[in-house]
Protein backbone atom coordinates (compact mmCIF):
# COMPACT_ATOMS: atom_id res chain seq x y z
CA UNK A 1 0.00 0.00 0.00
CA UNK A 2 1.24 3.42 -0.88
CA UNK A 3 -0.02 6.94 -0.19
CA UNK A 4 -0.80 8.71 -3.45
CA UNK A 5 0.50 12.19 -4.14
CA UNK A 6 -3.11 13.37 -4.30
CA UNK A 7 -3.85 12.05 -0.82
CA UNK A 8 -0.62 13.40 0.64
CA UNK A 9 -1.31 16.89 -0.72
CA UNK A 10 -4.87 16.76 0.59
CA UNK A 11 -3.76 15.73 4.07
CA UNK A 12 -1.12 18.48 4.11
CA UNK A 13 -3.70 21.07 3.03
CA UNK A 14 -6.15 19.88 5.67
CA UNK A 15 -3.42 19.99 8.33
CA UNK A 16 -2.85 23.63 7.41
CA UNK A 17 -6.57 24.30 7.69
CA UNK A 18 -6.75 22.44 11.01
CA UNK A 19 -3.93 24.63 12.34
CA UNK A 20 -6.05 27.72 11.62
CA UNK A 21 -9.38 26.13 12.61
CA UNK A 22 -9.76 28.04 15.89
CA UNK A 23 -9.59 31.42 14.14
CA UNK A 24 -12.77 30.60 12.22
CA UNK A 25 -11.36 32.44 9.21
CA UNK A 26 -11.45 30.74 5.81
CA UNK A 27 -8.12 30.06 4.13
CA UNK A 28 -7.50 30.91 0.51
CA UNK A 29 -6.04 28.38 -1.89
CA UNK A 30 -2.91 30.42 -2.55
CA UNK A 31 -2.30 30.72 1.20
CA UNK A 32 -2.53 26.95 1.77
CA UNK A 33 -0.54 26.20 -1.39
CA UNK A 34 2.29 28.52 -0.35
CA UNK A 35 2.51 27.11 3.18
CA UNK A 36 2.53 23.47 2.07
CA UNK A 37 4.26 23.83 -1.32
CA UNK A 38 1.31 22.45 -3.31
CA UNK A 39 0.54 23.62 -6.87
CA UNK A 40 -2.43 26.04 -6.76
CA UNK A 41 -4.39 24.46 -9.62
CA UNK A 42 -4.01 20.97 -8.19
CA UNK A 43 -5.03 22.12 -4.73
CA UNK A 44 -8.12 23.75 -6.20
CA UNK A 45 -9.21 20.38 -7.64
CA UNK A 46 -8.47 18.56 -4.39
CA UNK A 47 -10.46 21.04 -2.31
CA UNK A 48 -13.40 20.76 -4.72
CA UNK A 49 -13.39 16.98 -4.21
CA UNK A 50 -13.09 17.38 -0.43
CA UNK A 51 -15.97 19.88 -0.49
CA UNK A 52 -18.20 17.44 -2.36
CA UNK A 53 -17.19 14.79 0.21
CA UNK A 54 -18.20 17.00 3.14
CA UNK A 55 -14.66 17.37 4.54
CA UNK A 56 -14.36 21.10 3.82
CA UNK A 57 -16.79 23.87 3.02
CA UNK A 58 -16.25 26.94 0.90
CA UNK A 59 -17.14 30.53 1.61
CA UNK A 60 -17.59 33.03 -1.19
CA UNK A 61 -16.64 36.68 -1.23
CA UNK A 62 -13.59 38.86 -0.78
CA UNK A 63 -12.81 37.20 2.56
CA UNK A 64 -13.81 33.80 1.22
CA UNK A 65 -11.89 30.59 1.06
CA UNK A 66 -12.09 27.11 2.55
CA UNK A 67 -12.84 25.91 6.08
CA UNK A 68 -13.01 22.48 7.65
CA UNK A 69 -16.63 21.30 7.60
CA UNK A 70 -16.17 19.59 11.00
CA UNK A 71 -13.87 19.93 13.95
CA UNK A 72 -10.33 18.58 13.34
CA UNK A 73 -10.83 15.85 15.93
CA UNK A 74 -13.89 14.59 14.02
CA UNK A 75 -12.10 14.11 10.69
CA UNK A 76 -10.07 10.91 10.48
CA UNK A 77 -7.33 10.18 7.99
CA UNK A 78 -9.60 7.36 6.80
CA UNK A 79 -12.39 9.90 6.06
CA UNK A 80 -10.00 11.91 3.90
CA UNK A 81 -8.65 8.92 1.98
CA UNK A 82 -12.11 7.47 1.52
CA UNK A 83 -13.29 10.78 0.04
CA UNK A 84 -10.36 11.05 -2.36
CA UNK A 85 -9.59 7.46 -3.23
CA UNK A 86 -13.04 5.93 -2.84
CA UNK A 87 -11.98 3.11 -0.54
CA UNK A 88 -14.18 0.08 -0.91
CA UNK A 89 -14.60 -1.45 2.53
CA UNK A 90 -15.36 -5.13 2.04
CA UNK A 91 -16.72 -7.22 4.85
CA UNK A 92 -15.50 -10.50 3.42
CA UNK A 93 -19.02 -11.69 2.62
CA UNK A 94 -18.90 -11.34 -1.14
CA UNK A 95 -21.39 -12.95 -3.47
CA UNK A 96 -18.56 -14.28 -5.60
CA UNK A 97 -16.89 -17.52 -4.61
CA UNK A 98 -13.11 -17.81 -4.80
CA UNK A 99 -11.83 -19.85 -7.74
CA UNK A 100 -9.73 -22.11 -5.54
CA UNK A 101 -8.65 -22.77 -1.98
CA UNK A 102 -5.40 -20.95 -2.72
CA UNK A 103 -7.15 -17.81 -3.94
CA UNK A 104 -9.48 -17.95 -0.91
CA UNK A 105 -6.46 -17.93 1.41
CA UNK A 106 -4.90 -14.99 -0.44
CA UNK A 107 -8.21 -13.09 -0.34
CA UNK A 108 -8.60 -13.70 3.41
CA UNK A 109 -5.08 -12.44 4.15
CA UNK A 110 -5.60 -9.40 1.94
CA UNK A 111 -8.92 -8.72 3.69
CA UNK A 112 -7.21 -8.92 7.09
CA UNK A 113 -4.48 -6.50 5.95
CA UNK A 114 -7.09 -4.07 4.58
CA UNK A 115 -9.05 -4.17 7.86
CA UNK A 116 -5.87 -3.55 9.89
CA UNK A 117 -4.89 -0.61 7.66
CA UNK A 118 -8.41 0.86 7.86
CA UNK A 119 -8.36 0.55 11.67
CA UNK A 120 -5.10 2.53 11.86
CA UNK A 121 -6.38 5.21 9.46
CA UNK A 122 -9.64 5.53 11.44
CA UNK A 123 -7.67 5.87 14.69
CA UNK A 124 -5.93 9.14 13.71
CA UNK A 125 -7.74 12.46 13.32
CA UNK A 126 -6.45 15.72 11.87
CA UNK A 127 -6.15 16.93 15.47
CA UNK A 128 -3.88 13.97 16.28
CA UNK A 129 -1.67 14.78 13.30
CA UNK A 130 -1.44 18.44 14.35
CA UNK A 131 -0.47 17.43 17.88
CA UNK A 132 2.20 15.03 16.61
CA UNK A 133 3.58 17.72 14.29
CA UNK A 134 3.70 20.30 17.10
CA UNK A 135 5.37 17.81 19.41
CA UNK A 136 8.07 17.03 16.84
CA UNK A 137 8.64 20.72 16.18
CA UNK A 138 9.20 21.22 19.90
CA UNK A 139 11.74 18.41 19.92
CA UNK A 140 13.52 19.92 16.91
CA UNK A 141 13.70 23.31 18.63
CA UNK A 142 15.07 21.77 21.80
CA UNK A 143 17.64 19.79 19.82
CA UNK A 144 19.06 22.82 18.00
CA UNK A 145 19.26 25.18 21.00
Amino acid sequence: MELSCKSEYAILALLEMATHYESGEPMQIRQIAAQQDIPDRYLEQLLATLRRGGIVKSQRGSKGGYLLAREPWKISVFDILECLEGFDIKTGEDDTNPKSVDSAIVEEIWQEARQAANAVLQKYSLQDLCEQRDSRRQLDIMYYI
Side-chain angles (χ1 to χ4, degrees):
M1 292 183 189
E2 199 171 305
L3 185 65
S4 70
C5 185
K6 172 173 67 171
S7 293
E8 183 177 358
Y9 279 163
I11 292 169
L12 290 173
L14 291 169
L15 271 173
E16 193 64 34
M17 294 170 72
T19 302
H20 295 91
Y21 178 76
E22 292 299 321
S23 75
E25 296 290 320
M27 293 190 74
Q28 295 182 348
I29 290 174
R30 68 180 184 316
Q31 197 180 2
I32 299 167
Q35 286 287 0
Q36 294 294 338
D37 197 27
I38 302 170
D40 292 25
R41 298 270 187 217
Y42 195 54
L43 181 58
E44 190 174 344
Q45 294 171 4
L46 289 175
L47 290 173
T49 301
L50 292 168
R51 184 181 52 76
R52 286 189 299 273
I55 305 288
V56 299
K57 57 186 177 182
S58 60
Q59 182 175 313
R60 293 178 178 241
S62 62
K63 300 224 179 206
Y66 286 87
L67 298 151
L68 295 178
R70 302 186 303 260
E71 295 88 351
W73 55 90
K74 291 185 178 177
I75 301 173
S76 71
V77 175
F78 181 83
D79 295 336
I80 299 162
L81 297 178
E82 183 179 38
C83 175
L84 292 168
E85 306 290 348
F87 280 177
D88 182 22
I89 309 167
K90 295 183 179 179
T91 58
E93 298 175 11
D94 293 332
D95 292 336
T96 60
N97 291 326
K99 295 176 185 167
S100 68
V101 172
D102 294 347
S103 63
I105 291 169
V106 170
E107 177 60 32
E108 288 168 11
I109 291 170
W110 187 247
Q111 182 65 27
E112 185 179 343
R114 189 175 20 242
Q115 288 170 347
N118 289 349
V120 170
L121 296 172
Q122 288 170 340
K123 177 178 150 185
Y124 291 100
S125 69
L126 280 176
Q127 183 70 34
D128 296 328
L129 297 181
C130 285
E131 289 169 3
Q132 286 184 18
R133 178 203 55 210
D134 295 345
S135 163
R136 285 194 187 177
R137 283 183 179 166
Q138 281 297 106
L139 288 174
D140 285 347
I141 290 169
M142 297 302 284
Y143 180 74
Y144 291 112
I145 290 181

